[in-house]
Amino acid sequence: MRVRLLVVSLALAAGAGCAGLPRHPDFKARQKQMRTLAILPPKVEILKVGFRGSEEPMNELVPGATLAIAAELDASFAQRGYALQPLDLQPQTLEEHPELKQDLYLVLTAFEKQMEAYRKKGLRKGAFTYNVGSTVNTFADRASSDTLVLLRCHAIKKTGGEIAKDWAKTVLIAAATLGNAVVYSYSSVTLLELAVLDGNSGDILWYTNNAQFANVDAANTDHLRKAVRSLVKQFPKAAPPPMKDLDGEAP
Amino acid sequence: MGRLPGKLDFLAQIASAAIIAGCASTPNIPLSQGQVQDNLEALEVQLNKEAGDFRKKLDEHGGVYSDPVLLAYLDQLFRPMLAQPIGSSSLDFEVVVVRDPTLNAFTLGDGAVYLNSGLIAHLQTAEQLSFVIAHELAHIFNRDPLYFTHSYHKKTVAAKLADLMVSPALTFVGLGAAGAYGIGLAHRAAVTGYGRERETQADADALQSMRRLGYNPRSAIDVFTFFLNEKERYTRGIEIGFLSSHPSNQARMEAVEAILGSDDAPTEAADHEYLRQTDSLRIENAALNIQFARPYHAVEDLKAVNQRLPEHAKARFWLGEAYRAIVEHPDQLKLELHPKHWTKLTKPDTGEPVDWAQLAQEEYDHALQLDPAFPDTHRGLGLLLHAQDRHTEAVGHLQRYLELAPAPKDRRFVTDMIRRLQLAQQEAP
């Protein structure tokens, strides 16, 4: 079922990508003020899909994938000139502060709901004004940063049987349509969604995903890092600080 | 299951028929008679592990309600029901209250009976809740999760259809166990139930248990009636577990009626002790309902509290919040209510439609009269006035909120809103 949702998300997200990157109407003005960012722990889910469509979480892959994504986010945003504010949300910290865990869950849930609403709008998309609510303040306070970065990763890996079935389907459909329709299914599909949030207002300022190049193997950390890097590259570089910040005096 | 579109309804019927056809091929060995068949031992171990994983996830996500006073009260209801001999079972029996506003209860067979906060909040008497608990315990005593899973595994096609059938409902679950945590066993228990025969047997066992404890078994009828009424009033929240499994609520109610006969006395309308013990949870559940886009469920919960406790500032405040949610997201109300109910409220044949903003304002004002120093009421009022473009008043209340709240978690959010409102005021001609 979750795989079906991922496929639908991919299709819709790919469609969403055609209209250019979704940005909040105030994004340009606010991006000019951005110097620091804090990165929320990536939300990673990896499922194995069997021949009969069974779904099984591949929890053993999640820690490695999470670490790789987090490291790449740090490196890529730093490369674009942003100072990263530390935000300690390690599992142990979350255990000690269950309210943080709850708030993190609320932010992610709100984000999912907002993006679902965005996709549902389809071609009737107006201004990109989506908001995850005030819960983001918890993390903005904790990191002393006005801007937060959120990444969601949904991945599926198919077993050998499922891949064989996909190929069989491809051949049959191609034959039935005299080659007019060809289905190709990747053995691994990973949807990465990256968003930049206003830590004060909760506005989703900027959003992108890799729906157009989703053949990423979540078990391969190099693949994941490359995919994350290409997403972050779409985000504008940090604006140079005003002159007075450079030498301590206004020009 | 709620009102499914025609095609899904058809699939649902096929699914249920297929699942039912698969039942009863292996005779149940109840808990009281010791070990299961050799070929099912591994499955039982696996299911108990899955149940443990589910419980852990639920805890990790802050999904368990942990008010010790309420839990002690529920435990008092629960323990006497364990009198049935349960053999050498080493299960840890307990009641777990799930922070989920939907009306649901389920068990995974490992001794825990999961009761959603929405169910406890909606019921009116301890006897009604006892029927639900006794029903879930019957599933544990009869090892239904094990035997149902065994037959479910054998019926892959039916299982897939059932998955297809329940998926629309899952999206409405919010913090709901099955929806949020996606664990197979919980999904089966909370969503599809354990099949017609097992559900009917659990109902019959629950009635026996109630009689043994001196409870009025007719309370079971009240429970079914609540669920049937829910189905008539709402679309979001056609609750998916306890009473919507196979067979239908109506059929189960009739089966229970047949067992009861005419000799059982009518039930009491309200159990004040039960309502008193569960009031805090009812208010918290209303907040969850608002959070999960079910504002009218929240309105109904809170109106019930306000009727008994008209001077309860917090309940008044939350009722204001529920009305404000409708003002800010009128589409949520349309999705939540049954179309007939929605039309009656918003496009009545006679009179004016409900003025939600006015109702919100009244509740906030009432809450402020009762407790002028409660910061959250000022926040709610500020946001309501903001939605009505009454910027000056909104700023006043939001500033008051920041003054009164010692360390508000949303200080940045409110400060940012005040700044924007002030900016808009300056720019206004």
Side-chain angles (χ1 to χ4, degrees):
Chain A
M1 185 49 54
R2 281 174 289 173
V3 171
R4 201 173 306 145
L5 287 174
L6 172 60
V7 172
V8 173
S9 300
L10 269 170
L12 292 169
C18 299
L21 288 178
R23 291 169 190 207
H24 191 277
D26 295 342
F27 174 70
K28 261 191 178 174
R30 293 200 218 174
Q31 192 269 328
K32 278 181 190 161
Q33 311 298 321
M34 279 180 206
R35 301 282 181 279
T36 63
L37 300 172
I39 296 174
L40 293 167
K43 167 83 176 158
V44 179
E45 185 182 45
I46 307 172
L47 297 172
K48 181 165 76 183
V49 184
F51 182 66
R52 289 177 172 174
S54 61
E55 296 167 18
E56 197 184 311
M58 300 180 80
N59 292 334
E60 69 280 8
L61 294 179
V62 171
T66 308
L67 275 177
I69 290 170
E72 189 55 49
L73 283 172
D74 279 2
S76 296
F77 274 107
Q79 208 169 27
R80 302 201 72 71
Y82 295 94
L84 297 173
Q85 294 290 93
L87 178 56
D88 174 18
L89 294 174
Q90 295 294 319
Q92 198 189 333
T93 312
L94 294 177
E95 281 308 314
E96 288 164 9
H97 303 277
E99 71 283 1
L100 281 178
K101 202 188 295 179
Q102 178 74 9
D103 282 353
L104 192 57
Y105 176 74
L106 289 175
V107 170
L108 283 165
T109 309
F111 175 72
E112 282 165 19
K113 281 192 176 166
Q114 290 291 291
M115 294 321 295
E116 195 187 319
Y118 168 68
R119 285 170 197 141
K120 273 187 188 162
K121 269 193 168 179
L123 295 172
R124 296 178 287 110
K125 289 181 176 67
F128 186 75
T129 48
Y130 294 87
N131 190 295
V132 295
S134 59
T135 318
V136 285
N137 288 183
T138 302
F139 305 104
D141 277 344
R142 208 171 162 80
S144 302
S145 174
D146 291 336
T147 312
L148 300 169
V149 174
L150 184 152
L151 188 140
R152 278 175 78 222
C153 167
H154 281 275
I156 53 170
K157 287 180 67 64
K158 294 178 185 173
T159 58
E162 187 70 3
I163 296 165
K165 194 174 75 178
D166 280 345
W167 278 108
K169 208 189 298 174
T170 301
V171 172
L172 284 173
I173 293 175
T177 60
L178 300 174
N180 286 325
V182 176
V183 177
Y184 177 74
S185 295
Y186 297 116
S187 58
S188 297
V189 178
T190 302
L191 175 67
L192 295 160
E193 294 186 281
L194 178 64
V196 174
L197 312 175
D198 186 316
N200 297 322
S201 65
D203 287 335
I204 303 175
L205 297 174
W206 185 91
Y207 168 84
T208 191
N209 62 55
N210 70 328
Q212 310 275 4
F213 50 99
N215 57 330
V216 173
D217 182 358
N220 184 327
T221 52
D222 288 341
H223 274 201
L224 278 177
R225 291 189 73 132
K226 196 176 161 193
V228 171
R229 205 176 306 141
S230 64
L231 289 181
V232 178
K233 262 190 183 172
Q234 298 166 32
F235 193 73
K237 286 185 174 175
M243 292 301 282
K244 66 174 178 183
D245 285 355
L246 292 176
D247 57 11
E249 285 178 26
Chain B
M1 187 55 44
R3 296 173 309 105
L4 293 168
K7 200 172 173 183
L8 276 181
D9 199 27
F10 172 67
L11 288 174
Q13 285 172 29
I14 297 174
S16 65
I19 290 170
I20 292 155
C23 296
S25 54
T26 308
N28 278 31
I29 297 179
L31 210 57
S32 56
Q33 290 176 22
Q35 295 297 312
V36 291
Q37 292 89 340
D38 289 348
N39 63 327
L40 294 183
E41 273 180 17
L43 182 60
E44 189 168 47
V45 170
Q46 185 202 328
L47 291 182
N48 281 339
K49 186 191 167 297
E50 219 181 305
D53 289 348
F54 170 78
R55 177 63 205 272
K56 199 168 155 235
K57 284 232 171 197
L58 199 62
D59 273 330
E60 280 172 8
H61 285 76
V64 176
Y65 189 80
S66 56
D67 173 9
V69 178
L70 177 74
L71 290 179
Y73 173 71
L74 294 177
D75 203 55
Q76 219 181 326
L77 294 177
F78 178 69
R79 292 290 151 194
M81 292 184 195
L82 297 175
Q84 171 167 338
I86 48 176
S88 57
S89 164
S90 58
L91 299 181
D92 289 329
F93 285 93
E94 61 169 341
V95 175
V96 181
V97 180
V98 185
R99 287 164 51 84
D100 184 325
T102 58
L103 276 65
N104 200 6
F106 60 97
T107 180
L108 305 182
D110 63 337
V113 169
Y114 293 89
L115 301 172
N116 281 6
S117 55
L119 178 78
I120 299 172
H122 205 69
L123 297 179
Q124 299 291 303
T125 70
E127 292 195 340
Q128 291 164 1
L129 187 65
S130 298
F131 170 70
V132 176
I133 295 173
H135 172 100
E136 297 307 330
L137 278 175
H139 280 315
I140 301 176
F141 295 151
N142 296 334
R143 286 198 168 106
D144 286 337
L146 172 70
Y147 289 101
F148 179 73
T149 307
H150 178 58
S151 64
Y152 183 92
H153 280 181
K154 289 200 281 187
K155 295 281 167 193
T156 312
V157 175
K160 281 191 182 308
L161 286 171
D163 272 347
L164 177 66
M165 175 183 84
V166 300
S167 63
L170 275 179
T171 59
F172 298 139
V173 177
L175 257 183
Y181 309 116
I183 291 182
L185 181 59
H187 174 272
R188 258 162 265 154
V191 177
T192 62
Y194 290 122
R196 180 192 297 270
E197 288 173 9
R198 293 187 176 92
E199 296 298 337
T200 308
Q201 184 60 49
D203 286 340
D205 292 355
L207 293 178
Q208 263 191 7
S209 175
M210 291 184 75
R211 283 210 166 101
R212 184 170 53 78
L213 293 167
Y215 292 147
N216 185 346
R218 197 152 277 280
S219 302
I221 300 295
D222 299 340
V223 177
F224 286 107
T225 308
F226 278 133
F227 280 80
L228 289 169
N229 288 344
E230 183 81 359
K231 196 172 169 180
E232 302 229 318
R233 296 168 62 75
Y234 292 104
T235 52
R236 180 172 292 194
I238 300 305
E239 316 305 24
I240 52 174
F242 177 65
L243 291 175
S244 58
S245 50
H246 319 292
S248 73
N249 302 338
Q250 187 66 45
R252 277 175 68 185
M253 186 163 83
E254 284 163 13
V256 167
E257 280 277 17
I259 296 173
L260 288 176
S262 55
D263 53 342
D264 289 296
T267 54
E268 285 182 30
D271 171 346
H272 294 288
E273 177 59 9
Y274 176 81
L275 295 174
R276 193 179 66 78
Q277 293 279 1
T278 53
D279 264 336
S280 300
L281 173 129
R282 202 163 281 111
I283 295 170
E284 208 170 303
N285 187 66
L288 281 176
N289 268 320
I290 296 170
Q291 195 177 333
F292 291 102
R294 296 157 42 110
Y296 205 77
H297 281 83
V299 167
E300 295 209 319
D301 277 350
L302 292 162
K303 274 185 173 173
V305 176
N306 287 348
Q307 219 169 12
R308 281 193 319 284
L309 306 168
E311 304 300 290
H312 195 301
K314 206 172 165 193
R316 292 276 170 199
F317 156 72
W318 277 109
L319 188 51
E321 290 285 275
Y323 287 135
R324 178 168 68 84
I326 297 174
V327 172
E328 290 180 359
H329 308 286
D331 52 319
Q332 285 183 355
L333 187 70
K334 193 173 179 181
L335 287 171
E336 182 188 14
L337 295 179
H338 189 285
K340 276 185 193 163
H341 192 193
W342 180 79
T343 309
K344 213 166 111 184
L345 286 172
T346 55
K347 296 173 183 172
D349 293 334
T350 54
E352 291 292 307
V354 179
D355 184 344
W356 304 107
Q358 179 62 32
L359 290 174
Q361 173 101 39
E362 283 169 14
E363 292 302 330
Y364 285 135
D365 287 345
H366 198 152
L368 277 184
Q369 278 170 19
L370 295 168
D371 184 359
F374 186 50
D376 291 16
T377 313
H378 288 283
R379 180 189 190 276
L381 205 42
L383 295 176
L384 175 71
L385 294 165
H386 168 241
Q388 295 174 294
D389 290 330
R390 291 159 64 182
H391 292 177
T392 311
E393 294 163 272
V395 167
H397 280 289
L398 292 173
Q399 282 174 334
R400 186 82 184 116
Y401 165 68
L402 291 180
E403 285 162 21
L404 289 170
K409 274 176 76 176
D410 59 352
R411 180 186 51 79
R412 286 167 175 265
F413 179 83
V414 176
T415 308
D416 189 70
M417 182 167 279
I418 293 172
R419 183 185 61 77
R420 289 193 217 190
L421 289 173
Q422 287 174 332
L423 206 65
Q425 279 174 306
Q426 284 165 16
E427 287 170 0

